Amino acid sequence: MRIVFIGPPGAGKGTQAERLVAAFHMAHLSTGDMLRAARDAHTELGRQAEGYMSAGQLVPDAIIIDLIRQRLADADCRQGYLLDGFPRTLAQAEALDAMLAQAGTPLDAVLELQVPEEELFQRLAGRGRTDDQPVVIRQRLVAYRKQTEPLLAYYGAKGLLRSVQGLGTVEEVFGRARQVLDPRAS
Ligand code: ADP
C-alpha cells in the first residue's frame, strides 16, 4: 500500500506510523526524521533546513520535493510506503501526484489523525525536542492549520481521505487506523 499520513504536530503520528508500517509491510518515510538526520550529520540539506525547523516553519517546497523524489526511487519503496509528514502543502501534494502518475503508482489512501488543539499543545510541551518550546510549538500548529489542513479537502475530493480519532490509548488508535485502511483486518 501507498499511504499518506496527515495529522497536526503532537497527534501521535510517529508512534502510529511505526505500527502501521510493521502491520502492512511498508517503508516508513518521515520527512521530519530525514531532516533531523541531515541536520545532525551537518549535510548541505541539514544546513539549509535547520533555520526553518528551529523556527517551526516549513522547509521550502523545492527542497522537500527533491528529497522525497530521491527517496521514492529506493528499492524498499517498491513494497509500498507510508509518507509521514509529507506532503504538507498543496504544492507538495501536486508534485507528489505528478510523480506518482508518471510512475503509474497512485496512492491507496490518505489517513488523517484528528486530535483537538488543547490536547496537542499539552503533548508537545511534554516531549522535549529542540523545536518543542512553546513559541515554536505554536508556530508549528499555525503552519499546520494554514498550510497543511487544506490538503484534507484536496484528498477528500479525490475520495482518498480516511479520518480517525487520535484520542485514546496507542492500541485503540492503532485499531481504528488499521480498520479504515483494511476493513478485513479486524
Ligand atoms: P511535527 O509534525 O511534530 O511538527 P516533523 O518531525 O514532521 O514534526 O517535522 C519537523 C519539522 O521539519 C517541521 O516543523 C518542518 O520545519 C520540517 N518539515 C518536515 N516535513 C516537512 C515538509 N513536508 N515540508 C516542509 N517542512 C517539513
Side-chain angles (χ1 to χ4, degrees), residues 9 31-32 35-36 53 57 59 85 88 92 127 129 140:
T31 43
L35 293 172
R36 279 185 290 277
M53 294 172 77
Q57 288 166 3
V59 171
R88 254 186 166 82
Q92 292 178 18
R127 200 165 65 169
R129 216 167 68 188
R140 277 161 49 219

